[in-house]
Amino acid sequence: MNSKRSHSLNILETPFSTVTSSGHWFHATRKSVHEYVPGLMKVYPFEELIGKAVTWIDSADSLAMILFFALVFMINPFLAAGISLLFHYVWYQKKSAFVNLPTTPFLRLINHDFFQLLLAAVLLSFMGIWGMYAAVGLGIVTFFLYKIGILRRLWDKLDSKQESDKLPLNDKTLKMVLVRYSMYQNMPPAEVEKLDRHVQKAVIEYNQKKKKK
């Protein structure tokens, strides 16, 4: 195994997968990206490509939290929490379709711990001052629920039980990042489809190994 360090992201690579220090798992590897999208990593380091994908994966938590804090001042706090949870599920499942590289820096900002802690501290304080005690309680619960990423792991687990040979959600997001960058560099997205098939094969082999154990 090789441990690779970037300025803001630590990754652990095996011959069959890539795992980030924050627990994001990808079946794609540096070798497979180099093989199936030739030349792309000469322009964009592997760590940067993984980092972009992680930003979009984590965006479900950040956007859902912000949505709750926006809605709770306008509607019933329980309804706001319900809408926030529904949004989280839909966005997390479909985020790969929305990947847009120019907006990634904005998502990275709202994913930042300092931004989230400051936002939560300020808004929860206002809620307490205005006597919105139910909203404060739900705000604290939803903040920690999104912050520790428990919902992402739940959605991943549910998704993995549906079709064992389909592309996992994290790899779908990485694939779309590669497609976007390939388009910018005038590289044929058809090459990325090869990566898609490679990852699907790796998923099948991984699941078969788990069943044998």
Side-chain angles (χ1 to χ4, degrees):
M1 291 189 228
N2 297 317
S3 180
K4 306 291 183 180
R5 179 183 294 272
S6 71
H7 294 297
S8 58
L9 182 71
N10 294 326
I11 65 173
L12 180 68
E13 296 180 59
T14 76
F16 308 104
S17 62
T18 301
V19 185
T20 72
S21 55
S22 52
H24 300 88
W25 184 292
F26 300 89
H27 286 85
T29 63
R30 184 187 304 268
K31 180 180 178 181
S32 61
V33 172
H34 174 73
E35 182 177 353
Y36 294 109
V37 196
L40 186 62
M41 288 193 298
K42 292 181 180 179
V43 184
Y44 307 104
F46 182 66
E47 290 85 356
E48 180 179 346
L49 298 172
I50 292 292
K52 299 289 187 184
V54 168
T55 296
W56 280 88
I57 292 167
D58 289 345
S59 68
D61 297 328
S62 306
L63 292 174
M65 182 182 68
I66 292 173
L67 179 62
F68 169 78
F69 283 126
L71 290 176
V72 78
F73 290 100
M74 298 180 285
I75 60 177
N76 180 279
F78 292 95
L79 181 58
I83 294 174
S84 175
L85 289 171
L86 178 61
F87 171 85
H88 188 283
Y89 175 79
V90 174
W91 181 268
Y92 191 70
Q93 294 288 328
K94 304 297 182 182
K95 62 185 176 295
S96 59
F98 305 124
V99 170
N100 181 279
L101 297 178
T103 63
T104 305
F106 168 73
L107 293 180
R108 187 182 299 115
L109 171 64
I110 65 173
N111 287 347
H112 200 280
D113 289 343
F114 178 77
F115 174 86
Q116 295 178 1
L117 289 169
L118 179 63
L119 178 69
V122 171
L123 294 182
L124 288 172
S125 296
F126 275 116
M127 292 177 196
I129 293 172
W130 295 338
M132 302 169 62
Y133 302 119
V136 171
L138 286 171
I140 293 173
V141 171
T142 55
F143 175 80
F144 283 105
L145 193 62
Y146 294 140
K147 192 62 188 165
I148 63 178
I150 191 171
L151 286 177
R152 286 189 282 105
R153 289 190 284 273
L154 175 61
W155 306 150
D156 282 336
K157 188 172 183 179
L158 293 176
D159 184 71
S160 66
K161 291 182 177 179
Q162 296 177 11
E163 296 179 43
S164 60
D165 61 339
K166 73 176 184 177
L167 202 65
L169 296 173
N170 286 0
D171 289 290
K172 283 183 180 179
T173 304
L174 177 60
K175 174 193 168 184
M176 191 54 64
V177 169
L178 296 176
V179 169
R180 299 300 189 212
Y181 273 129
S182 296
M183 293 172 65
Y184 287 163
Q185 297 299 321
N186 294 318
M187 296 178 179
E191 296 296 328
V192 184
E193 296 302 322
K194 295 181 182 179
L195 177 66
D196 190 347
R197 292 192 292 272
H198 169 81
V199 172
Q200 286 181 323
K201 180 181 177 181
V203 171
I204 294 173
E205 292 176 349
Y206 176 76
N207 289 327
Q208 288 176 342
K209 289 179 181 178
K210 285 201 303 184
K211 292 179 181 178
K212 290 179 180 179
K213 292 182 178 180

